[in-house]
Each structure stands twice: as structure tokens, then as C-alpha cells.
Amino acid sequence: RVCRQAQPSRVMFALILLLGGAFAANPDAPHPHGGKLSPYVLGPPTVLLSREDEEELADGKTIMRVISNRPADESREGGARRLLMVRDVAAPKDVVLDRIGDFAAYPRMVKGCDACHVYKREGRPDGTEEVRCEYRIHALHLKFRYFMSHQIDPEAGCVVWNLDYERESDLDDSVGYWCTT
């Protein structure tokens, strides 16, 4: 039995989601557009935390904020807002990133996720990986089926995602970002 001291990790999560249109998910048809939302980029977070934010995290609290769009994104994103969540987790960052990347376990780990099926996984020469998944989720009496493309950089501890625009999803658009530091 091996025991190791867990170094706490800081987990940053950002998400933007557009619901709209009357799409019917179809893996054999392309999405009606190639993305309305500005995607996140793999790499370290660009959000700076205030002294007050750091104190809240030190007290075990979660930081949740609505972030205004960058002016360049305002017209493209139709007034959508980005959500930010930061939480310190008592686990090494590689363990946290492994949990984030365990898509098959999402139905057990994520409330409202009924299924998550990986249909493509491809490693790249630079050490990053692309993982495409089909999600089936529910919220109240609504059910959604959508297809995501995730880019994972284990060295940076980051994951970004957007809809897989090669397949038609029930969501109009979605982009997001996870980072462990």
C-alpha cells in the first residue's frame, strides 16, 4: 500500500452555453454552423484572482463569477456571458485531471448526465489529445443530446472543449475550459 501526501490543486472551470434553435441531434449531419462562441485556448488561465478571492479559497469556499464578454466577442456571442468557477481541491493536479478526462464515468460523477460515450480519441505528437464524446443529459423534463470535441494538454493541466461541429447537436453552441494549477 502506497500513501502519498496530496498537494492541493486549484481547479478553474469556465463555461459558456447557448441554448436555442430547434435542432435535432444527428451524428450523420453537420451542425448548422461552425461555432458562434469564441473558443477557449489551451494554456494557463488568464483570469487574475483578487486578494478577497484568495482569502475565500483559503477558507474552503468556491469562487463563482459571471464574466463580461471581451468587446471583440460581444457581437459574435449575442450577449452570452461566461461563467467562472474556481475551487481548491485536496488532490494532486494529475489526479484531478484524470477525473476530468474520465468521460465514461460522467454519469456517476455529474448530476444530470445520463450517458457519455467516447467515439474518437487521438493522441498528437505534441503530447496533447483530442477526445470526442456524445453526451446525453437531462434538466427537469428536458433531454439533450450533443457532441463535444475536447482538447487535453496533460502537461499544462488544461482541457478546452467546444461542440463537434461535424455532428448536429441539440445545443446551439457550447465552449468551456478546465485548468488545474
Side-chain angles (χ1 to χ4, degrees):
R1 182 170 156 186
V2 177
C3 295
R4 66 178 174 172
Q5 182 76 15
Q7 291 293 322
S9 299
R10 177 153 296 160
V11 179
M12 187 170 290
F13 170 74
L15 169 71
I16 187 168
L17 172 72
L18 285 179
L19 295 174
F23 306 123
N26 182 352
D28 299 319
H31 203 65
H33 59 75
K36 294 181 178 179
L37 302 171
S38 298
Y40 287 94
V41 177
L42 280 175
T46 58
V47 174
L48 298 176
L49 299 177
S50 68
R51 186 173 46 83
E52 292 81 15
D53 290 339
E54 293 288 353
E55 289 170 2
E56 286 188 41
L57 288 166
D59 288 341
K61 296 179 182 170
T62 299
I63 305 297
M64 296 184 78
R65 303 277 185 265
V66 175
I67 300 175
S68 297
N69 281 344
R70 300 168 290 204
D73 296 333
E74 189 64 38
S75 63
R76 177 179 178 174
E77 297 184 357
R81 296 289 182 251
R82 293 180 185 257
L83 307 175
L84 171 73
M85 190 277 297
V86 181
R87 171 85 185 180
D88 285 341
V89 177
K93 75 181 218 176
D94 62 320
V95 171
V96 174
L97 193 63
D98 283 346
R99 293 287 79 209
I100 292 169
D102 188 0
F103 300 104
Y106 276 28
R108 291 191 320 270
M109 297 188 302
V110 180
K111 185 177 180 178
C113 182
D114 301 316
C116 185
H117 168 72
V118 174
Y119 57 87
K120 179 181 179 182
R121 183 179 296 269
E122 184 178 318
R124 297 195 174 127
D126 64 359
T128 63
E129 181 180 33
E130 178 185 21
V131 181
R132 294 188 184 200
C133 299
E134 174 186 355
Y135 288 81
R136 292 177 185 259
I137 64 168
H138 71 274
L140 300 173
H141 65 281
L142 301 173
K143 293 185 180 270
F144 298 97
R145 180 182 180 203
Y146 58 94
F147 306 92
M148 286 287 180
S149 175
H150 308 82
Q151 312 305 315
I152 303 172
D153 185 341
E155 188 170 319
C158 295
V159 178
V160 296
W161 70 87
N162 52 263
L163 285 184
D164 177 352
Y165 302 110
E166 295 176 6
R167 297 175 180 222
E168 189 169 15
S169 290
D170 288 336
L171 304 179
D172 192 19
D173 208 359
S174 178
V175 298
Y177 172 85
W178 283 102
C179 189
T180 60
T181 59

